[in-house]
Amino acid sequence: MTLVIGGARSGKSAYAERLVTACPAPWAYIATAQAYDDEMRERIALHRSRRDEGWTTIDAPLDLVGAIEALPDGRPVLIDCLTLWLTNHMLAEHDIEAECRWLADVLSRPRGPWFVVSNEVGQGIVPDNALARRFRDAAGRLHQQVAAVAGTVLLMVAGLPLKVK
């Protein structure tokens, strides 16, 4: 399993797509985004436009663990992205620690080439409100759990991958 992490617009999704498509098709794309506004609908449309007939898209804004477990063995998969999934669980007021543990456990047992995308949000300023600070802290803990079980961790900077692990 490869974790591809980076800041906003660092090129992480496009790079992860290239990694997946270097594997034989068919490929699975597990999407965690929810279209709450026009901007997010546009982002989702842009991501979808880059995928051709070799891709199967699975929407899993909350049940990411179930979507991963339902994948056939050997299927190359791109999971995009963990921070949106985390946001969805925080907004639903779920037990974040438990959800993150379950996800890290499933990701620790890949049954094929798995590529996981997430946003690094802990390198900026300290957020000015409690919810944003809770999110930043939860994302940091989630990233540590996923990085610990990943075979490879890539940090995207200005469209360039830096191998961290």
Side-chain angles (χ1 to χ4, degrees), residues 62-66 85-86 89-90 93-106 142 145:
L62 290 169
D63 190 15
L64 182 53
V65 169
W85 170 84
L86 180 64
H89 279 284
M90 288 186 79
E93 299 182 2
H94 292 163
D95 182 339
I96 300 303
E97 289 182 21
E99 295 290 343
C100 291
R101 273 194 314 274
W102 293 327
L103 178 60
D105 181 58
V106 168
L142 173 61
Q145 290 176 300

PDB file of all heavy atoms in Angstrom, residues 62-66 85-86 89-90 93-106 142 145:
ATOM      1  N   LEU A  62     -18.594   7.442   3.599  1.00  0.00           N
ATOM      2  CA  LEU A  62     -18.505   7.016   4.995  1.00  0.00           C
ATOM      3  C   LEU A  62     -17.999   5.583   5.142  1.00  0.00           C
ATOM      4  O   LEU A  62     -17.133   5.318   5.963  1.00  0.00           O
ATOM      5  CB  LEU A  62     -19.875   7.154   5.686  1.00  0.00           C
ATOM      6  CG  LEU A  62     -20.337   8.581   5.929  1.00  0.00           C
ATOM      7  CD1 LEU A  62     -21.794   8.610   6.360  1.00  0.00           C
ATOM      8  CD2 LEU A  62     -19.459   9.279   6.962  1.00  0.00           C
ATOM      9  N   ASP A  63     -18.541   4.657   4.365  1.00  0.00           N
ATOM     10  CA  ASP A  63     -18.186   3.239   4.535  1.00  0.00           C
ATOM     11  C   ASP A  63     -16.989   2.855   3.670  1.00  0.00           C
ATOM     12  O   ASP A  63     -17.065   1.978   2.817  1.00  0.00           O
ATOM     13  CB  ASP A  63     -19.381   2.339   4.229  1.00  0.00           C
ATOM     14  CG  ASP A  63     -19.121   0.898   4.634  1.00  0.00           C
ATOM     15  OD1 ASP A  63     -18.154   0.638   5.406  1.00  0.00           O
ATOM     16  OD2 ASP A  63     -19.864   0.005   4.178  1.00  0.00           O
ATOM     17  N   LEU A  64     -15.876   3.523   3.908  1.00  0.00           N
ATOM     18  CA  LEU A  64     -14.654   3.233   3.169  1.00  0.00           C
ATOM     19  C   LEU A  64     -14.149   1.832   3.483  1.00  0.00           C
ATOM     20  O   LEU A  64     -13.720   1.102   2.588  1.00  0.00           O
ATOM     21  CB  LEU A  64     -13.597   4.289   3.491  1.00  0.00           C
ATOM     22  CG  LEU A  64     -12.257   4.191   2.790  1.00  0.00           C
ATOM     23  CD1 LEU A  64     -12.421   4.115   1.278  1.00  0.00           C
ATOM     24  CD2 LEU A  64     -11.390   5.385   3.188  1.00  0.00           C
ATOM     25  N   VAL A  65     -14.217   1.432   4.731  1.00  0.00           N
ATOM     26  CA  VAL A  65     -13.780   0.087   5.121  1.00  0.00           C
ATOM     27  C   VAL A  65     -14.577  -0.970   4.357  1.00  0.00           C
ATOM     28  O   VAL A  65     -14.009  -1.909   3.791  1.00  0.00           O
ATOM     29  CB  VAL A  65     -13.885  -0.108   6.648  1.00  0.00           C
ATOM     30  CG1 VAL A  65     -13.706  -1.571   7.035  1.00  0.00           C
ATOM     31  CG2 VAL A  65     -12.852   0.753   7.368  1.00  0.00           C
ATOM     32  N   GLY A  66     -15.896  -0.823   4.307  1.00  0.00           N
ATOM     33  CA  GLY A  66     -16.727  -1.784   3.586  1.00  0.00           C
ATOM     34  C   GLY A  66     -16.409  -1.820   2.103  1.00  0.00           C
ATOM     35  O   GLY A  66     -16.376  -2.891   1.491  1.00  0.00           O
ATOM     36  N   TRP A  85     -12.891  11.795   3.733  1.00  0.00           N
ATOM     37  CA  TRP A  85     -13.547  10.735   4.495  1.00  0.00           C
ATOM     38  C   TRP A  85     -13.609  11.121   5.976  1.00  0.00           C
ATOM     39  O   TRP A  85     -14.644  10.986   6.629  1.00  0.00           O
ATOM     40  CB  TRP A  85     -12.786   9.420   4.293  1.00  0.00           C
ATOM     41  CG  TRP A  85     -13.198   8.305   5.171  1.00  0.00           C
ATOM     42  CD1 TRP A  85     -14.241   7.442   4.979  1.00  0.00           C
ATOM     43  CD2 TRP A  85     -12.578   7.901   6.398  1.00  0.00           C
ATOM     44  NE1 TRP A  85     -14.301   6.535   6.020  1.00  0.00           N
ATOM     45  CE2 TRP A  85     -13.282   6.801   6.892  1.00  0.00           C
ATOM     46  CE3 TRP A  85     -11.474   8.371   7.119  1.00  0.00           C
ATOM     47  CZ2 TRP A  85     -12.940   6.154   8.070  1.00  0.00           C
ATOM     48  CZ3 TRP A  85     -11.133   7.734   8.297  1.00  0.00           C
ATOM     49  CH2 TRP A  85     -11.866   6.633   8.764  1.00  0.00           C
ATOM     50  N   LEU A  86     -12.498  11.633   6.503  1.00  0.00           N
ATOM     51  CA  LEU A  86     -12.446  12.060   7.901  1.00  0.00           C
ATOM     52  C   LEU A  86     -13.446  13.191   8.159  1.00  0.00           C
ATOM     53  O   LEU A  86     -14.167  13.175   9.153  1.00  0.00           O
ATOM     54  CB  LEU A  86     -11.025  12.505   8.256  1.00  0.00           C
ATOM     55  CG  LEU A  86     -10.802  12.987   9.680  1.00  0.00           C
ATOM     56  CD1 LEU A  86     -11.027  11.860  10.677  1.00  0.00           C
ATOM     57  CD2 LEU A  86      -9.380  13.553   9.811  1.00  0.00           C
ATOM     58  N   HIS A  89     -16.965  11.858   8.482  1.00  0.00           N
ATOM     59  CA  HIS A  89     -17.221  11.228   9.786  1.00  0.00           C
ATOM     60  C   HIS A  89     -17.315  12.260  10.896  1.00  0.00           C
ATOM     61  O   HIS A  89     -18.140  12.117  11.806  1.00  0.00           O
ATOM     62  CB  HIS A  89     -16.143  10.185  10.097  1.00  0.00           C
ATOM     63  CG  HIS A  89     -16.392   8.887   9.413  1.00  0.00           C
ATOM     64  ND1 HIS A  89     -17.345   7.987   9.849  1.00  0.00           N
ATOM     65  CD2 HIS A  89     -15.847   8.343   8.306  1.00  0.00           C
ATOM     66  CE1 HIS A  89     -17.363   6.942   9.051  1.00  0.00           C
ATOM     67  NE2 HIS A  89     -16.465   7.136   8.103  1.00  0.00           N
ATOM     68  N   MET A  90     -16.489  13.301  10.831  1.00  0.00           N
ATOM     69  CA  MET A  90     -16.575  14.342  11.862  1.00  0.00           C
ATOM     70  C   MET A  90     -17.924  15.056  11.794  1.00  0.00           C
ATOM     71  O   MET A  90     -18.543  15.293  12.827  1.00  0.00           O
ATOM     72  CB  MET A  90     -15.422  15.331  11.715  1.00  0.00           C
ATOM     73  CG  MET A  90     -14.080  14.728  12.130  1.00  0.00           C
ATOM     74  SD  MET A  90     -12.739  15.912  12.127  1.00  0.00           S
ATOM     75  CE  MET A  90     -13.054  16.735  13.692  1.00  0.00           C
ATOM     76  N   GLU A  93     -20.560  13.165  13.317  1.00  0.00           N
ATOM     77  CA  GLU A  93     -20.304  12.976  14.751  1.00  0.00           C
ATOM     78  C   GLU A  93     -20.094  11.509  15.120  1.00  0.00           C
ATOM     79  O   GLU A  93     -20.570  11.033  16.150  1.00  0.00           O
ATOM     80  CB  GLU A  93     -21.410  13.628  15.584  1.00  0.00           C
ATOM     81  CG  GLU A  93     -21.500  15.122  15.368  1.00  0.00           C
ATOM     82  CD  GLU A  93     -22.547  15.809  16.215  1.00  0.00           C
ATOM     83  OE1 GLU A  93     -23.217  15.140  17.028  1.00  0.00           O
ATOM     84  OE2 GLU A  93     -22.688  17.029  16.057  1.00  0.00           O
ATOM     85  N   HIS A  94     -19.353  10.804  14.260  1.00  0.00           N
ATOM     86  CA  HIS A  94     -19.002   9.406  14.541  1.00  0.00           C
ATOM     87  C   HIS A  94     -17.784   9.347  15.445  1.00  0.00           C
ATOM     88  O   HIS A  94     -17.104  10.349  15.666  1.00  0.00           O
ATOM     89  CB  HIS A  94     -18.722   8.668  13.229  1.00  0.00           C
ATOM     90  CG  HIS A  94     -19.933   8.493  12.386  1.00  0.00           C
ATOM     91  ND1 HIS A  94     -19.871   8.186  11.054  1.00  0.00           N
ATOM     92  CD2 HIS A  94     -21.264   8.599  12.671  1.00  0.00           C
ATOM     93  CE1 HIS A  94     -21.086   8.095  10.551  1.00  0.00           C
ATOM     94  NE2 HIS A  94     -21.949   8.351  11.516  1.00  0.00           N
ATOM     95  N   ASP A  95     -17.496   8.169  15.950  1.00  0.00           N
ATOM     96  CA  ASP A  95     -16.333   7.939  16.794  1.00  0.00           C
ATOM     97  C   ASP A  95     -15.095   7.920  15.892  1.00  0.00           C
ATOM     98  O   ASP A  95     -14.766   6.902  15.272  1.00  0.00           O
ATOM     99  CB  ASP A  95     -16.480   6.603  17.534  1.00  0.00           C
ATOM    100  CG  ASP A  95     -15.338   6.303  18.478  1.00  0.00           C
ATOM    101  OD1 ASP A  95     -14.237   6.873  18.329  1.00  0.00           O
ATOM    102  OD2 ASP A  95     -15.527   5.451  19.372  1.00  0.00           O
ATOM    103  N   ILE A  96     -14.405   9.045  15.802  1.00  0.00           N
ATOM    104  CA  ILE A  96     -13.291   9.217  14.869  1.00  0.00           C
ATOM    105  C   ILE A  96     -12.151   8.252  15.171  1.00  0.00           C
ATOM    106  O   ILE A  96     -11.582   7.639  14.259  1.00  0.00           O
ATOM    107  CB  ILE A  96     -12.782  10.676  14.902  1.00  0.00           C
ATOM    108  CG1 ILE A  96     -13.888  11.638  14.499  1.00  0.00           C
ATOM    109  CG2 ILE A  96     -11.544  10.852  14.029  1.00  0.00           C
ATOM    110  CD1 ILE A  96     -14.494  11.382  13.150  1.00  0.00           C
ATOM    111  N   GLU A  97     -11.810   8.099  16.426  1.00  0.00           N
ATOM    112  CA  GLU A  97     -10.697   7.192  16.774  1.00  0.00           C
ATOM    113  C   GLU A  97     -10.993   5.769  16.337  1.00  0.00           C
ATOM    114  O   GLU A  97     -10.132   5.094  15.771  1.00  0.00           O
ATOM    115  CB  GLU A  97     -10.399   7.265  18.269  1.00  0.00           C
ATOM    116  CG  GLU A  97      -9.754   8.578  18.672  1.00  0.00           C
ATOM    117  CD  GLU A  97      -9.420   8.620  20.158  1.00  0.00           C
ATOM    118  OE1 GLU A  97      -9.315   7.557  20.790  1.00  0.00           O
ATOM    119  OE2 GLU A  97      -9.264   9.739  20.669  1.00  0.00           O
ATOM    120  N   ALA A  98     -12.202   5.304  16.562  1.00  0.00           N
ATOM    121  CA  ALA A  98     -12.567   3.934  16.169  1.00  0.00           C
ATOM    122  C   ALA A  98     -12.565   3.794  14.653  1.00  0.00           C
ATOM    123  O   ALA A  98     -12.028   2.815  14.115  1.00  0.00           O
ATOM    124  CB  ALA A  98     -13.933   3.563  16.740  1.00  0.00           C
ATOM    125  N   GLU A  99     -13.147   4.753  13.947  1.00  0.00           N
ATOM    126  CA  GLU A  99     -13.193   4.693  12.477  1.00  0.00           C
ATOM    127  C   GLU A  99     -11.779   4.660  11.899  1.00  0.00           C
ATOM    128  O   GLU A  99     -11.495   3.896  10.970  1.00  0.00           O
ATOM    129  CB  GLU A  99     -13.969   5.884  11.901  1.00  0.00           C
ATOM    130  CG  GLU A  99     -15.431   5.919  12.253  1.00  0.00           C
ATOM    131  CD  GLU A  99     -16.263   4.840  11.570  1.00  0.00           C
ATOM    132  OE1 GLU A  99     -15.805   4.246  10.575  1.00  0.00           O
ATOM    133  OE2 GLU A  99     -17.388   4.607  12.036  1.00  0.00           O
ATOM    134  N   CYS A 100     -10.896   5.478  12.438  1.00  0.00           N
ATOM    135  CA  CYS A 100      -9.510   5.519  11.947  1.00  0.00           C
ATOM    136  C   CYS A 100      -8.775   4.225  12.240  1.00  0.00           C
ATOM    137  O   CYS A 100      -8.005   3.740  11.398  1.00  0.00           O
ATOM    138  CB  CYS A 100      -8.776   6.715  12.547  1.00  0.00           C
ATOM    139  SG  CYS A 100      -9.374   8.317  11.926  1.00  0.00           S
ATOM    140  N   ARG A 101      -9.001   3.642  13.401  1.00  0.00           N
ATOM    141  CA  ARG A 101      -8.365   2.343  13.727  1.00  0.00           C
ATOM    142  C   ARG A 101      -8.822   1.264  12.759  1.00  0.00           C
ATOM    143  O   ARG A 101      -8.010   0.476  12.265  1.00  0.00           O
ATOM    144  CB  ARG A 101      -8.705   1.928  15.162  1.00  0.00           C
ATOM    145  CG  ARG A 101      -7.777   2.482  16.217  1.00  0.00           C
ATOM    146  CD  ARG A 101      -7.941   1.775  17.563  1.00  0.00           C
ATOM    147  NE  ARG A 101      -9.323   1.596  17.985  1.00  0.00           N
ATOM    148  CZ  ARG A 101     -10.041   2.504  18.653  1.00  0.00           C
ATOM    149  NH1 ARG A 101      -9.508   3.660  18.959  1.00  0.00           N
ATOM    150  NH2 ARG A 101     -11.284   2.250  19.003  1.00  0.00           N
ATOM    151  N   TRP A 102     -10.136   1.212  12.480  1.00  0.00           N
ATOM    152  CA  TRP A 102     -10.667   0.198  11.562  1.00  0.00           C
ATOM    153  C   TRP A 102     -10.071   0.376  10.171  1.00  0.00           C
ATOM    154  O   TRP A 102      -9.690  -0.588   9.515  1.00  0.00           O
ATOM    155  CB  TRP A 102     -12.192   0.267  11.488  1.00  0.00           C
ATOM    156  CG  TRP A 102     -12.884  -0.123  12.753  1.00  0.00           C
ATOM    157  CD1 TRP A 102     -12.478  -1.066  13.665  1.00  0.00           C
ATOM    158  CD2 TRP A 102     -14.107   0.407  13.256  1.00  0.00           C
ATOM    159  NE1 TRP A 102     -13.376  -1.135  14.692  1.00  0.00           N
ATOM    160  CE2 TRP A 102     -14.394  -0.248  14.475  1.00  0.00           C
ATOM    161  CE3 TRP A 102     -14.989   1.375  12.789  1.00  0.00           C
ATOM    162  CZ2 TRP A 102     -15.516   0.030  15.224  1.00  0.00           C
ATOM    163  CZ3 TRP A 102     -16.117   1.654  13.538  1.00  0.00           C
ATOM    164  CH2 TRP A 102     -16.374   0.993  14.747  1.00  0.00           C
ATOM    165  N   LEU A 103      -9.983   1.621   9.735  1.00  0.00           N
ATOM    166  CA  LEU A 103      -9.435   1.888   8.411  1.00  0.00           C
ATOM    167  C   LEU A 103      -7.961   1.490   8.345  1.00  0.00           C
ATOM    168  O   LEU A 103      -7.539   0.806   7.402  1.00  0.00           O
ATOM    169  CB  LEU A 103      -9.602   3.361   8.035  1.00  0.00           C
ATOM    170  CG  LEU A 103      -9.022   3.748   6.680  1.00  0.00           C
ATOM    171  CD1 LEU A 103      -9.679   2.956   5.551  1.00  0.00           C
ATOM    172  CD2 LEU A 103      -9.155   5.246   6.457  1.00  0.00           C
ATOM    173  N   ALA A 104      -7.178   1.894   9.324  1.00  0.00           N
ATOM    174  CA  ALA A 104      -5.748   1.544   9.329  1.00  0.00           C
ATOM    175  C   ALA A 104      -5.568   0.031   9.358  1.00  0.00           C
ATOM    176  O   ALA A 104      -4.670  -0.509   8.696  1.00  0.00           O
ATOM    177  CB  ALA A 104      -5.042   2.207  10.503  1.00  0.00           C
ATOM    178  N   ASP A 105      -6.418  -0.673  10.089  1.00  0.00           N
ATOM    179  CA  ASP A 105      -6.338  -2.131  10.148  1.00  0.00           C
ATOM    180  C   ASP A 105      -6.582  -2.746   8.772  1.00  0.00           C
ATOM    181  O   ASP A 105      -5.828  -3.615   8.328  1.00  0.00           O
ATOM    182  CB  ASP A 105      -7.332  -2.685  11.165  1.00  0.00           C
ATOM    183  CG  ASP A 105      -7.258  -4.197  11.257  1.00  0.00           C
ATOM    184  OD1 ASP A 105      -6.175  -4.734  11.553  1.00  0.00           O
ATOM    185  OD2 ASP A 105      -8.301  -4.846  11.006  1.00  0.00           O
ATOM    186  N   VAL A 106      -7.612  -2.287   8.069  1.00  0.00           N
ATOM    187  CA  VAL A 106      -7.912  -2.822   6.734  1.00  0.00           C
ATOM    188  C   VAL A 106      -6.785  -2.471   5.765  1.00  0.00           C
ATOM    189  O   VAL A 106      -6.371  -3.304   4.961  1.00  0.00           O
ATOM    190  CB  VAL A 106      -9.276  -2.290   6.234  1.00  0.00           C
ATOM    191  CG1 VAL A 106      -9.471  -2.589   4.755  1.00  0.00           C
ATOM    192  CG2 VAL A 106     -10.397  -2.906   7.040  1.00  0.00           C
ATOM    193  N   LEU A 142      -4.460  10.191  12.008  1.00  0.00           N
ATOM    194  CA  LEU A 142      -4.816   9.238  10.961  1.00  0.00           C
ATOM    195  C   LEU A 142      -3.633   9.012  10.021  1.00  0.00           C
ATOM    196  O   LEU A 142      -3.308   7.870   9.675  1.00  0.00           O
ATOM    197  CB  LEU A 142      -6.035   9.728  10.178  1.00  0.00           C
ATOM    198  CG  LEU A 142      -6.427   8.919   8.935  1.00  0.00           C
ATOM    199  CD1 LEU A 142      -6.768   7.476   9.305  1.00  0.00           C
ATOM    200  CD2 LEU A 142      -7.580   9.600   8.213  1.00  0.00           C
ATOM    201  N   GLN A 145      -1.096   6.731  11.538  1.00  0.00           N
ATOM    202  CA  GLN A 145      -1.536   5.331  11.537  1.00  0.00           C
ATOM    203  C   GLN A 145      -1.388   4.714  10.151  1.00  0.00           C
ATOM    204  O   GLN A 145      -0.899   3.591  10.016  1.00  0.00           O
ATOM    205  CB  GLN A 145      -3.003   5.228  11.979  1.00  0.00           C
ATOM    206  CG  GLN A 145      -3.232   5.525  13.437  1.00  0.00           C
ATOM    207  CD  GLN A 145      -4.718   5.503  13.763  1.00  0.00           C
ATOM    208  OE1 GLN A 145      -5.501   6.271  13.200  1.00  0.00           O
ATOM    209  NE2 GLN A 145      -5.104   4.622  14.664  1.00  0.00           N
TER     210      GLN A 145
END
